[in-house]
Amino acid sequence: MTVTPRMITTWRFGAEACRVGYEILRTGGSALEAVERAANVTEEDPEVSSVGYGGLPNAEGVVELDAAIMDGASHRAGAVAAMTGIRKPISAARMVMERTPHVLLAGHNARRFALQNGFPDAELLTEKARSRWKAWLEERLAPDVAHFEEPDRRSLRDEKSHDTIGLCALDTSGNLAAGCTTSGLFGKTPGRVGDSPIIGSGLYVDNEIGAAAATGNGDEMMKVCLSYRVVMLMEMGRSPQQACEEAIRYLLRKRPHHQQHGAACIALSPTGEIGAAATREGFHPPDRAWIYAVSQEEEILVCEGVYVDP
Ligand code: ASP
């Protein structure tokens, strides 16, 4: 039986990726292929300052990328963390999944693995990202600014200082896949790894239950394995929407003093039902509304998700 395919991605900037992914699904491509190729679209867009090439760097001006992919059909997963100098990190993550017995490679060895597997050495820091980092550095060092607000906090709250493209896809064979790719938090401590390459935190998929992916402050979301929780709640009978809202509420309950950071998730069921929810704090419409993109028959809709209160 042919299943109606569906694709969902986080953020407005994910709309083009969603379109590309949906086209792959519509023409019979696999969910895994759709997730990878769709993620590549955002990774290669220098205008997206929180993913791949053109992403904002760590505190030392180095772009460190996190990415992961998970295949519902085989329950395999691959990821790279804190990887430098390689474009299309989700494709490197897929190679980790397909060419090694491991799930996650990190740091310079992730890069070495990618180089050995044919990825070219690349400069990820664009001029635009470099000047933003320089301005950030100057601001951070200025005592009168630092006096008013703790610098790390300010960078976390800055509208464009982070955001992951998270993706979930359902193909015509009824298989699900999920992916995540990001440059993480702008100005992060070198070596910091967020939720995105961590299976169960940034993404999770079980072909029989559903797929989920997350965006927001990974240091918070990792503490509750947010994506795993969404899928677990679906297993317990919640709809994808209920599961997303309940998982976010759980995070808010467990971390009552950290609500300003913001967390969001998307979900997709094997029947093509979707969910999307975010913390209210950290996502303030209209400037920083919680937006996702989803295929609806032949169209790509850009929608505002549900905000959850504690
Ligand atoms: N979750 C990502 C991280 O913490 C950032 C984001 O999605 O906004 O690295």
Side-chain angles (χ1 to χ4, degrees):
M1 197 182 70
T2 303
V3 172
T4 306
R6 199 133 202 225
M7 183 91 202
I8 180 167
T9 63
T10 55
W11 301 116
R12 188 184 299 281
F13 65 66
E16 180 55 16
C18 192
R19 195 189 60 70
V20 168
Y22 177 70
E23 195 50 28
I24 292 170
L25 297 171
R26 194 186 64 76
T27 51
S30 71
L32 191 68
E33 195 64 14
V35 164
E36 182 193 357
R37 298 284 162 236
N40 288 161
V41 171
T42 314
E43 289 175 332
E44 288 292 278
D45 184 347
E47 292 308 313
V48 179
S49 61
S50 55
V51 178
Y53 173 64
L56 290 166
N58 68 16
E60 290 175 351
V62 178
V63 181
E64 289 184 329
L65 302 178
D66 294 341
I69 192 161
M70 187 164 183
D71 179 31
S74 62
H75 216 76
R76 290 176 308 166
V80 290
M83 185 174 72
T84 56
I86 300 288
R87 287 167 84 146
K88 302 186 181 175
I90 202 163
S91 298
R94 185 172 175 180
M95 263 186 201
V96 172
M97 176 174 90
E98 290 177 342
R99 297 192 182 176
T100 81
H102 311 302
V103 172
L104 172 61
L105 295 183
H108 85 272
N109 284 314
R111 170 178 156 75
R112 206 158 61 123
F113 168 82
L115 292 173
Q116 282 164 354
N117 281 278
F119 285 75
D121 188 8
E123 176 55 78
L124 300 174
L125 190 67
T126 57
E127 256 330 297
K128 197 168 167 188
R130 190 195 308 274
S131 27
R132 240 188 109 192
W133 168 67
K134 283 211 165 132
W136 174 84
L137 208 58
E138 273 160 30
E139 205 177 69
R140 195 180 152 86
L141 295 176
D144 55 340
V145 177
H147 178 75
F148 292 111
E149 198 178 357
E150 192 224 320
D152 286 342
R153 174 74 51 84
R154 190 175 51 244
S155 109
L156 290 176
R157 300 198 67 165
D158 181 345
E159 184 199 339
K160 290 202 180 108
S161 65
H162 59 96
D163 281 345
T164 301
I165 179 159
L167 318 95
C168 300
L170 170 68
D171 65 28
T172 52
S173 305
N175 290 317
L176 289 161
C180 265
T181 176
T182 187
S183 50
L185 304 184
F186 178 29
K188 64 191 174 185
T189 302
R192 177 264 186 194
V193 172
D195 60 309
S196 306
I198 308 298
I199 306 305
S201 286
L203 73 170
Y204 192 72
V205 55
D206 181 323
N207 234 23
E208 294 168 66
I209 305 165
T215 180
N217 188 284
D219 295 307
E220 288 304 302
M221 296 188 295
M222 268 197 274
K223 294 183 179 105
V224 298
C225 300
L226 193 73
S227 293
Y228 180 74
R229 194 163 191 89
V230 171
V231 175
M232 183 195 82
L233 287 163
M234 287 165 73
E235 188 173 22
M236 290 164 67
R238 309 298 195 278
S239 70
Q241 184 58 37
Q242 287 168 335
C244 286
E245 290 178 32
E246 210 171 313
I248 295 285
R249 204 168 292 118
Y250 176 81
L251 170 65
L252 293 173
R253 206 166 69 238
K254 290 291 157 191
R255 302 285 296 160
H257 306 302
H258 298 268
Q259 313 219 334
Q260 73 281 11
H261 290 319
C265 53
I266 53 172
L268 179 61
S269 79
T271 55
E273 245 189 299
I274 59 151
T279 55
R280 188 175 301 276
E281 271 213 64
F283 297 104
H284 299 285
D287 298 342
R288 183 147 171 77
W290 160 226
I291 302 291
Y292 64 94
V294 65
S295 66
Q296 175 81 32
E297 281 146 26
E298 303 292 294
E299 266 184 279
I300 301 301
L301 309 179
V302 173
C303 311
E304 187 166 2
V306 167
Y307 300 95
V308 176
D309 293 308

